[in-house]
Amino acid sequence: MSTVVLARKYRPRRFDQMVGQEHVVRALTNALAGNRLHHAYLFTGTRGIGKTTVSRILAKSLNCSGPDGQGGVTATPCGVCTACTEIDADRYIDYIELDAASNRGIGEVQELIERAAYKPGVGRFKVFMIDEAHQLTKDAFNALLKTLEEPPEYLKFVLATTDPEKMLPTVLSRCLQFNLRPIAPEVVREHLAQVLQAEGVAYDEGSLRQLGRAARGSMRDALSLTDQAIAYGSGRLSEAVVRAMLGGVDRGHAAALLQALAARDAPALLQGVDALRLQGLSAASTLEEMATLLQQMAVQQAVPGALDSAEPDHEEALRLAAALPADETQFLYSLLLQGRGELGVMGDEHAALAMVLLRFLAFAPTPDGTQPVPERPARAAAAAPRAPVAGAAATTAATATATATATAAPAPAPAPAPAPASSALLAAEPDIPPWLDEAPPPEDEPRPRSAALRVVPAPTLAVAAVPAPPASAAASALQAPQLTPLGDRWAALVRRLQEQGRIAALVRELALQAGALSCEEDGHGDTWTLVVERESLRTPALVEKLQAALAAELGRAQQLRLQPGVPGDSLARRDAWERQQRQLEAERRIRDDPAVTELLAQFKTARIVPGSIRPL
Ligand SMILES: [Zn+2]
């Protein structure tokens, strides 16, 4: 293949060769064809997107004299006349490009303005192109303004910027503005395929997909990366080679992590992150791969069958789309995008990745859809009698406060965090890693049922996007537990086991989830018949541990017989029911609160963030 780099060799030389900017091309060609010329143009858009290219084509259109030397202003420059060839070769004396990133001072601009005083040397128009125009100093802008306002008729300005926000409004108002858009990955892929075929380079679809995504909307970057990949792969492109070059992560890792998230399998999640670390795979790329898969999953969930079955990840996306509900797919996607920014903040990006993924487990409903994962601080506060939280709640019981988050003010005050409680929690359960602890909170303190409400401002945009407030929406399907004296006895017993710290992790989960059917007592001890829904909890090892804990608490032998089935009553169900009642009450009070009503009426953009209402 040629030694000329692809980005230069395949740089568009005519408007119809520009890829992915049809809206700009159409407007410019119509204007040129109708001879409706503006004296200053502003092209905006990210780097590598074609701003300089479109400026050069425009300069050719203005100056082209056609193959016979008789042509006029045209939307289809001939490519062979002096103006066309010299602009392409970057040596046309009436086309001047100034890079404001390196020539930003008033001196350079004054020099330019002086040159503007002279008529074009060879062409019809002088075209001044100022790239990265936002970098001009204020003095330079002001010096330019006069000429920009009343330019001689032979002078055209083209300003280009990646950051139009930084341009003076007086400059913006004098320019006809065109926004060049990032090019869609599939458009990049198609174009790369054409280029590679023209170059006779072998490739596979996977390599194009990788390159298309890595280009981030810039065709110039796509072509540069392709150049590198061809060199890296010794003249041919394969997905594995491109992925290795880009430092990318096999989609299998991303799929495995998503699977673990869907299954709420925190140990598998952390093992997955460890595997990435051990293999030296990038956490950032992993997040991107996961986000890409989530996007495919969301498409499948919204329009089943809409995914392209030719995509190699098709099967995986279908499987995961069925494993994770649509709202959680959306929620996770927003968490991941937000988490991308956190990776660089921590020294250890894999630890940051684990944190981002665990956040999903902390906020998402549990798989049975009935209980949110416990909020540990609140639970610890309840478990620690020394923590002054309950008292504080009581004193503020008469006031219901609410914060309505105005969308116009995206910086909500930090939530009042019951910080001292977490240490109490750690002291009580030193051995339990947090991810093993799925049990609902042991809220054994009678809770104030008054109007002590805390509206937790959503700490971030992503959290504000929690799909549904689990307690109010999911749990509203809960039915009241069927209370019996035997159930009360079992519940009290389990509470005691918790207080004494005799059960933890999955053993505690078993105790909480179990419904007592009968209890037979004889001279040797008690035999409980319990009904437990989750098969994973009905294991001999867990039963044995729970028997031992009960025996230690009661001082006599305990035997447990487990039956599969849905218990009409269990401590977990009682807690979930009670949480739901408190949640509904809290939501009702907030809705009816005069202060909230007034806030919502006053601020049109104010809204109560779904899920942000928490009972204290
Ligand atoms: Zn020409």
Side-chain angles (χ1 to χ4, degrees):
M1 68 170 275
S2 158
T3 52
V4 180
V5 294
L6 294 176
R8 188 183 301 169
K9 184 172 175 186
Y10 288 92
R11 180 177 212 166
R13 300 183 190 284
R14 300 192 312 262
F15 283 123
D16 63 359
Q17 291 173 337
M18 288 206 66
V19 176
Q21 308 296 351
E22 286 76 10
H23 60 297
V24 173
V25 165
R26 195 178 315 123
L28 285 176
T29 50
N30 286 345
L32 287 163
N35 211 11
R36 293 188 310 275
L37 304 178
H38 204 266
H39 65 272
Y41 297 84
L42 173 64
F43 297 123
T44 64
T46 55
R47 53 177 293 280
I49 210 168
K51 299 186 294 294
T52 310
T53 298
V54 77
S55 165
R56 289 186 179 192
I57 301 174
L58 179 62
K60 288 194 285 187
S61 295
L62 291 169
N63 283 305
C64 178
S65 55
D68 57 0
Q70 304 299 311
V73 172
T74 174
T76 52
C78 69
V80 296
C81 71
T82 310
C84 286
T85 51
E86 292 194 348
I87 289 172
D88 280 342
D90 206 7
R91 53 184 163 83
Y92 191 62
I93 57 167
D94 291 322
Y95 178 71
I96 295 147
E97 283 182 8
L98 178 81
D99 182 6
S102 45
N103 307 288
R104 54 196 303 267
I106 188 166
E108 284 85 0
V109 169
Q110 267 168 350
E111 193 184 317
L112 199 69
I113 292 167
E114 280 165 25
R115 290 167 79 168
Y118 301 97
K119 290 191 173 178
V122 291
R124 224 172 277 129
F125 292 97
K126 262 193 166 146
V127 180
F128 288 172
M129 197 277 190
I130 304 179
D131 200 6
E132 296 297 352
H134 66 272
Q135 299 225 24
L136 288 179
T137 62
K138 200 170 176 193
D139 285 346
F141 261 129
N142 286 330
L144 188 65
L145 212 52
K146 182 83 174 59
T147 315
L148 204 58
E149 223 160 28
E150 294 171 358
E153 60 185 20
Y154 53 79
L155 183 63
K156 302 288 177 203
F157 276 102
V158 176
L159 307 184
T161 179
T162 50
D163 201 348
E165 305 274 310
K166 289 192 185 146
M167 304 277 290
L168 289 181
T170 44
V171 173
L172 287 179
S173 66
R174 283 163 180 76
C175 296
L176 194 58
Q177 188 171 337
F178 294 94
N179 184 25
L180 280 77
R181 298 172 187 152
I183 304 166
E186 58 269 22
V187 176
V188 173
R189 289 206 303 263
E190 279 169 28
H191 188 65
L192 289 183
Q194 288 173 10
V195 167
L196 291 168
Q197 280 157 24
E199 292 289 319
V201 175
Y203 63 90
D204 62 16
E205 286 298 320
S207 63
L208 295 194
R209 216 173 24 253
Q210 296 273 332
L211 290 166
R213 277 214 307 275
R216 297 180 185 283
S218 159
M219 193 62 84
R220 185 175 70 199
D221 285 2
L223 289 166
S224 299
L225 287 170
T226 304
D227 263 327
Q228 290 173 33
I230 292 171
Y232 195 86
S234 309
R236 77 181 304 285
L237 293 186
S238 69
E239 180 170 4
V241 161
V242 174
R243 177 177 281 138
M245 182 192 87
L246 296 172
V249 174
D250 190 320
R251 194 72 73 84
H253 290 281
L257 289 174
L258 286 175
Q259 183 61 49
L261 287 168
R264 307 295 193 270
D265 189 344
L269 199 63
L270 294 174
Q271 280 164 17
V273 175
D274 275 347
L276 291 171
R277 185 203 305 272
L278 286 176
Q279 295 176 40
L281 297 172
S282 148
S285 302
T286 307
L287 277 189
E288 277 173 32
E289 292 291 351
M290 291 176 77
T292 306
L293 258 176
L294 283 168
Q295 186 261 330
Q296 292 178 318
M297 290 158 58
V299 169
Q300 166 65 18
Q301 286 160 349
V303 188
L307 276 186
D308 183 0
S309 60
E311 294 265 338
D313 309 307
H314 182 248
E315 292 299 315
E316 202 80 288
L318 291 193
R319 192 173 57 73
L320 288 165
L324 201 64
D327 55 352
E328 291 179 24
T329 303
Q330 291 292 338
F331 173 43
L332 182 55
Y333 184 78
S334 63
L335 275 187
L336 296 192
L337 290 195
Q338 197 202 13
R340 181 79 169 77
E342 296 177 22
L343 296 188
V345 180
M346 287 271 289
D348 177 351
E349 67 162 9
H350 290 93
L353 173 65
M355 192 66 190
V356 170
L357 300 181
L358 288 173
R359 188 171 307 149
F360 175 78
L361 297 190
F363 282 101
T366 49
D368 57 13
T370 55
Q371 307 156 12
V373 171
E375 290 161 53
R376 316 191 107 264
R379 158 223 184 140
R386 276 160 299 175
V389 175
T395 56
T396 57
T399 50
T401 52
T403 41
T405 306
T407 49
S422 60
S423 56
L425 179 78
L426 290 177
E429 298 162 342
D431 296 328
I432 309 164
W435 59 85
L436 278 179
D437 185 357
E438 299 177 335
E443 290 167 83
D444 40 5
E445 300 275 322
R447 282 166 288 265
R449 278 159 206 275
S450 51
L453 302 179
R454 177 166 67 98
V455 177
V456 181
T460 64
L461 193 64
V463 174
V466 171
S472 62
S476 61
L478 282 184
Q479 290 183 350
Q482 299 151 16
L483 302 182
T484 59
L486 184 68
D488 290 345
R489 191 175 143 201
W490 174 253
L493 188 50
V494 175
R495 290 259 188 255
R496 259 160 57 202
L497 294 182
Q498 281 187 285
E499 283 164 18
Q500 302 297 322
R502 294 193 193 278
I503 50 176
L506 289 174
V507 181
R508 182 173 57 200
E509 186 69 4
L510 171 61
L512 289 167
Q513 298 280 345
L517 285 186
S518 68
C519 180
E520 294 157 24
E521 298 165 26
D522 59 25
H524 305 291
D526 308 331
T527 302
W528 293 84
T529 304
L530 303 172
V531 59
V532 176
E533 186 179 10
R534 278 167 58 182
E535 193 182 348
S536 60
L537 292 175
R538 299 194 303 264
T539 67
L542 293 180
V543 169
E544 212 167 280
K545 284 182 184 166
L546 185 52
Q547 283 177 170
L550 286 165
E553 177 64 28
L554 297 171
R556 59 182 186 273
Q558 299 289 308
Q559 189 161 20
L560 301 179
R561 288 183 189 146
L562 262 53
Q563 289 183 5
V566 181
D569 176 30
S570 70
L571 201 47
R573 194 159 164 183
R574 288 184 182 203
D575 285 342
W577 172 255
E578 200 175 330
R579 269 200 306 278
Q580 174 190 304
Q581 298 309 304
R582 284 187 296 129
Q583 179 69 29
L584 294 176
E585 174 66 7
E587 289 175 10
R588 188 190 65 73
R589 280 176 182 269
I590 286 292
R591 259 199 323 275
D592 297 349
D593 186 89
V596 174
T597 316
E598 199 183 323
L599 268 178
L600 290 175
Q602 265 181 13
F603 299 101
K604 295 294 173 211
T605 54
R607 65 199 169 86
I608 298 174
V609 176
S612 66
I613 300 175
R614 309 273 167 80
L616 263 187

